[in-house]
């Protein structure tokens, strides 16, 4: 055997042994312990406020009496569900919820995409940052504050929007009291509040497009419109598909805070949604079992839709949570 071979053999035999798996796991646990301690308070809050109230699901199957409690109320099975489905308002409320939610999903995706494309064309960084800051601001205001602003703006007597329509020769309209206009007011004001914040995702996607693609398009004679059509939009298409599929889980969430602060009995026929319906049944009419049954129905449907949306996001955009 040559000296070189012998040296290699000796070196290989003298290599240190791998550390035991138990020691490796212990070392990893010690390194990760601070992170587990950091997440522990949030985990406790989730268990208390998200999973703890799930014990009240049993109210949906009871003739619940607050003085008797959860264990003392009479068990009536699915009678609350049958009663809810027999109500004449239930079908209308479900239709209103789906219609308003779908309209918000469509407009809530189109507006941020268009805004992100326009902001991407601004050459002056300072002006671009100012515009971004201005359009982000409504997102951080609650609907309690914004509802007061919207009521003043859309007032038929002194609202600036109706004053503008008057300059055009159009009669003032009570948008918040007209059942035909109210759903579109909900969609428009929701888009106004959220579209600025929604542009963050699409602006981030635009920064990930390879600049060489734009250079090649310019060499081929493509103008700004052609570059947008054949380079920018295909570049952000995976993010658009991902956001669209993930939004399917919110198809029964039409926005309780917004509707509750803007609606009135005159627009119940087109503006009443499942969340406000549950509020009136449970807290106003004190039909706790019926309200819980409606809420449980919504939760089950939302769970199915969220599961389907994540499956579609994985299949179409290769998005995975874990």
């Amino acid at each position: 055997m040559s000296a070189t071979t012998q040296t290699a053999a000796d070196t290989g035999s003298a290599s240190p042994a791998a550390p035991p798996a138990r020691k490796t796991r212990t070392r990893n646990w010690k390194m990760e312990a601070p992170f587990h301690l950091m997440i522990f308070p949030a985990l406790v809050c989730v268990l208390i406020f998200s999973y703890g109230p799930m014990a009240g699901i049993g109210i949906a199957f009871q003739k619940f009496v607050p003085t008797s409690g959860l264990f003392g109320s009479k068990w009536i099975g699915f009678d609350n569900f049958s009663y809810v489905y027999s109500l004449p308002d239930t079908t209308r409320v479900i239709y209103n919820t789906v219609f308003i939610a779908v309209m918000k999903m469509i407009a809530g995706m189109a507006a941020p995409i268009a805004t992100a494309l326009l902001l991407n064309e601004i050459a002056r960084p300072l002006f671009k940052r100012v515009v971004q800051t201005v359009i982000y601001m409504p997102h951080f205001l609650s609907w309690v504050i914004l509802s007061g602003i919207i009521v003043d703006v859309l007032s038929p007597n002194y609202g600036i929007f109706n004053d503008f329509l008057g300059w055009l020769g159009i009669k003032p309209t009570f948008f918040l009291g007209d059942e035909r206009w109210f759903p579109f007011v909900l969609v428009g004001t929701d888009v106004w509040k959220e579209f600025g914040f929604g542009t963050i995702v699409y602006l981030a996607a635009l920064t990930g497009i390879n600049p060489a693609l734009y250079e090649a398009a310019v060499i081929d004679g493509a103008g700004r419109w052609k570059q947008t059509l054949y380079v920018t939009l295909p570049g952000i298409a995976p993010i658009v598909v991902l956001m669209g599929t993930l939004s399917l889980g919110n198809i029964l969430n039409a926005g309780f805070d917004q509707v509750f602060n803007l609606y009135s009995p005159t627009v119940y026929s087109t503006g009443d949604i499942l969340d406000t319906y549950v509020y009136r049944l449970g807290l106003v009419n004190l039909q706790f079992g019926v309200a819980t049954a409606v809420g449980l129905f919504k939760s089950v449907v939302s769970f199915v839709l969220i599961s389907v949306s994540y499956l579609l996001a994985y299949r179409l955009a290769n998005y995975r949570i874990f």
Side-chain angles (χ1 to χ4, degrees):
M1 181 182 293
S2 63
T4 305
T5 307
Q6 185 176 2
T7 302
D10 294 339
T11 303
S13 61
S15 59
R22 181 178 299 177
K23 291 184 178 180
T24 302
R25 288 195 297 268
T26 302
R27 184 169 61 250
N28 291 339
W29 183 87
K30 290 181 178 179
M31 294 175 60
E32 296 173 357
F35 302 105
H36 289 287
L37 291 176
M38 289 174 61
I39 201 174
F40 181 74
L43 179 61
V44 172
C45 291
V46 170
L47 292 175
I48 294 175
F49 296 106
S50 296
Y51 288 92
M54 291 182 68
I57 291 176
I59 298 176
F61 306 95
Q62 294 178 330
K63 187 176 181 180
F64 182 73
V65 179
T67 55
S68 300
L70 182 63
F71 299 101
S73 299
K74 181 181 179 182
W75 188 270
I76 58 174
F78 290 92
D79 289 355
N80 285 327
F81 294 90
S82 301
Y83 174 73
V84 169
Y85 298 143
S86 66
L87 294 176
D89 295 336
T90 302
T91 304
R92 172 182 55 80
V93 169
I94 294 175
Y95 172 80
N96 293 342
T97 304
V98 174
F99 176 76
I100 294 172
V102 170
M103 291 290 289
K104 285 184 177 181
M105 288 166 50
I106 296 173
M109 288 189 61
I113 293 173
T115 305
L117 294 176
L118 293 174
L119 289 175
N120 192 51
E121 298 297 321
I122 298 177
R124 298 181 179 181
L126 179 60
F127 179 72
K128 182 178 180 179
R129 287 196 294 268
V130 171
V131 173
Q132 286 178 307
T133 303
V134 171
I135 64 177
Y136 291 166
M137 288 179 62
H139 170 79
F140 300 99
L141 299 177
S142 70
W143 277 112
V144 176
I145 298 173
L146 291 179
S147 63
I149 298 174
I150 294 169
V151 169
D152 288 340
V153 170
L154 298 180
S155 172
N157 297 323
Y158 52 84
I160 187 174
F161 190 77
N162 275 298
D163 288 344
F164 175 75
L165 294 180
W167 297 339
L168 300 178
I170 302 174
K171 296 176 61 176
T173 302
F174 187 22
F175 293 97
L176 295 178
D178 192 327
E179 61 183 15
R180 297 171 301 174
W181 285 104
F182 186 74
F184 301 100
V185 171
L186 293 177
V187 175
T189 53
D190 181 75
V191 171
W192 167 65
K193 183 179 186 295
E194 300 294 344
F195 84 99
F197 193 78
T199 58
I200 295 176
V201 175
Y202 301 105
L203 285 173
L206 289 172
T207 60
I209 299 177
N210 190 350
L213 298 176
Y214 291 103
E215 297 174 1
V218 172
I219 294 174
D220 291 339
R224 300 301 302 176
W225 171 246
K226 294 292 185 180
Q227 293 176 37
T228 302
L229 190 61
Y230 294 107
V231 178
T232 305
L233 291 180
I236 65 173
I239 298 298
V240 174
V241 172
L242 174 62
M243 299 302 293
T245 53
L246 292 180
S247 65
L248 292 177
N250 294 320
I251 200 168
L252 289 183
N253 293 323
F256 171 78
D257 293 343
Q258 179 194 21
V259 178
F260 181 75
N261 284 284
L262 291 176
Y263 84 149
S264 61
T266 58
V267 294
Y268 279 175
S269 60
T270 59
D272 199 16
I273 60 174
L274 279 172
D275 291 330
T276 55
Y277 193 49
V278 169
Y279 166 79
R280 291 202 312 278
L281 286 175
L283 297 182
V284 178
N285 298 332
L286 302 181
Q287 300 183 41
F288 301 106
V290 177
T292 307
V294 178
L296 180 59
F297 164 76
K298 176 191 170 184
S299 299
V300 171
V301 175
S302 297
F303 174 77
V304 173
L305 292 174
I306 290 173
S307 301
V308 172
S309 67
Y310 277 108
L311 177 61
L312 292 176
Y314 172 69
R315 296 292 178 88
L316 300 176
N318 198 27
Y319 173 82
R320 299 180 63 180
I321 303 177
F322 304 107

